[in-house]
């Protein structure tokens, strides 16, 4: 926030939890991940052997994504699961390949850690052909995704924009930094944009 110009840059791809207090509709990461773990555990079943879960993500370099994946890995290991993590560093072609490699290893489940399922048609098909359920964390519903566990991203965008408007004194202008390939970030941007426009805040640019 630059007080002299009353202009703010909003990065909606990694909003810190401390930036605003979430409403009950906006699940904090730990609650979301425990729901993901509980759902996966119930859907796959424990059996006599420990579950093997392959986590595949394109965004481990993002601090928020890393926190989520680390928490999921910690939660899984606490349940006695064998959890592996593969990061493709933003490469969606490699993400499909990583899904295909994971499916070939016959885990009990594959978890998509963020990302857009519409870019994963080949990877999701390989999992479906192998009979392996795919769960997503903060992605989007799609064919081939058994369940997508996420926060109310539109609400998060609205809350963050409201907090920023309050910090700006109720007026000014903003530059929004978004990331449309990520469904959650796109929804946050939509929520924030509507909130800024309703409050009369000028959006100088979106990137």
């Amino acid at each position: 926030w630059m007080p002299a110009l009353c202009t703010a840059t909003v990065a909606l791809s990694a909003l810190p939890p401390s930036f605003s207090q979430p409403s009950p509709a906006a699940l904090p990461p730990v609650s979301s991940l425990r729901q993901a773990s509980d759902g996966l555990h119930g859907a796959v079943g424990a059996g006599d052997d420990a579950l093997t879960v392959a986590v595949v993500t394109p965004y481990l370099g993002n601090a928020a994504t890393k926190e989520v994946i680390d928490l999921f890995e910690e939660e899984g290991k606490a349940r006695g699961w064998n959890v592996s993590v593969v990061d493709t560093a933003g490469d969606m072609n490699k993400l499909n390949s990583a899904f295909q490699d994971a499916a070939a290893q016959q885990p009990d489940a594959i978890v998509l850690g963020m990302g857009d399922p519409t870019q994963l048609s080949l990877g999701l098909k390989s999992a479906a052909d192998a009979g392996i359920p795919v769960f997503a964390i903060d992605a989007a519903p799609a064919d081939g995704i058994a369940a997508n566990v996420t926060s109310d991203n539109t609400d998060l965008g609205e809350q963050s924009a409201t907090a920023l408007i309050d910090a700006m004194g109720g007026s000014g202008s903003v530059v929004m930094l978004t990331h449309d390939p990520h469904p959650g970030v796109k929804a946050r941007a939509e929520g924030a944009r509507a909130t800024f426009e309703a409050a009369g805040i000028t959006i100088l640019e979106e990137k």
Side-chain angles (χ1 to χ4, degrees):
W1 178 33
M2 297 179 286
L5 299 177
C6 204
T7 300
T9 299
V10 189
L12 291 163
S13 59
L15 296 171
S18 60
F19 188 71
S20 63
Q21 293 298 319
S23 71
L27 296 173
V30 173
S31 297
S32 295
L33 291 173
R34 284 179 179 158
Q35 285 193 20
S37 299
D38 289 340
L40 193 157
H41 186 80
V44 177
D48 295 327
D49 300 320
L51 296 180
T52 298
V53 181
V55 179
V56 183
T57 177
Y59 297 129
L60 201 61
N62 175 277
T65 299
K66 187 178 188 307
E67 179 182 10
V68 168
I69 299 301
D70 286 349
L71 285 168
F72 182 86
E73 188 173 13
E74 179 182 327
E75 182 76 18
K77 288 182 176 179
R79 294 168 182 259
W81 299 353
N82 297 312
V83 181
S84 63
V85 179
V86 173
D87 172 43
T88 67
D91 190 321
M92 294 303 167
N93 290 325
K94 287 184 179 179
L95 191 66
N96 272 294
S97 296
F99 256 76
Q100 292 169 322
D101 290 344
Q105 295 171 23
Q106 289 290 310
D108 294 291
I110 298 174
V111 172
L112 170 61
M114 322 310 201
D116 182 358
T118 64
Q119 301 181 54
L120 272 174
S121 56
L122 293 177
L124 291 174
K125 183 179 184 303
S126 67
D129 289 345
I132 300 167
V134 176
F135 298 82
I137 299 173
D138 198 29
D143 290 341
I145 300 290
N148 175 49
V149 180
T150 187
S151 301
D152 184 336
N153 282 296
T154 301
D155 182 66
L156 289 175
E158 292 169 351
Q159 289 188 63
S160 299
T162 297
L164 185 59
I165 291 167
D166 290 343
M168 294 166 59
S171 63
S173 56
V174 299
V175 172
M176 293 179 58
L177 306 181
T178 67
H179 185 60
D180 281 354
H182 188 291
V185 176
K186 185 176 181 179
R188 278 175 243 165
E190 291 170 352
R193 185 183 304 109
T195 301
F196 288 138
E197 291 173 350
I201 300 296
T202 300
I203 301 174
L204 297 174
E205 187 177 4
E206 291 191 43
K207 296 182 178 181

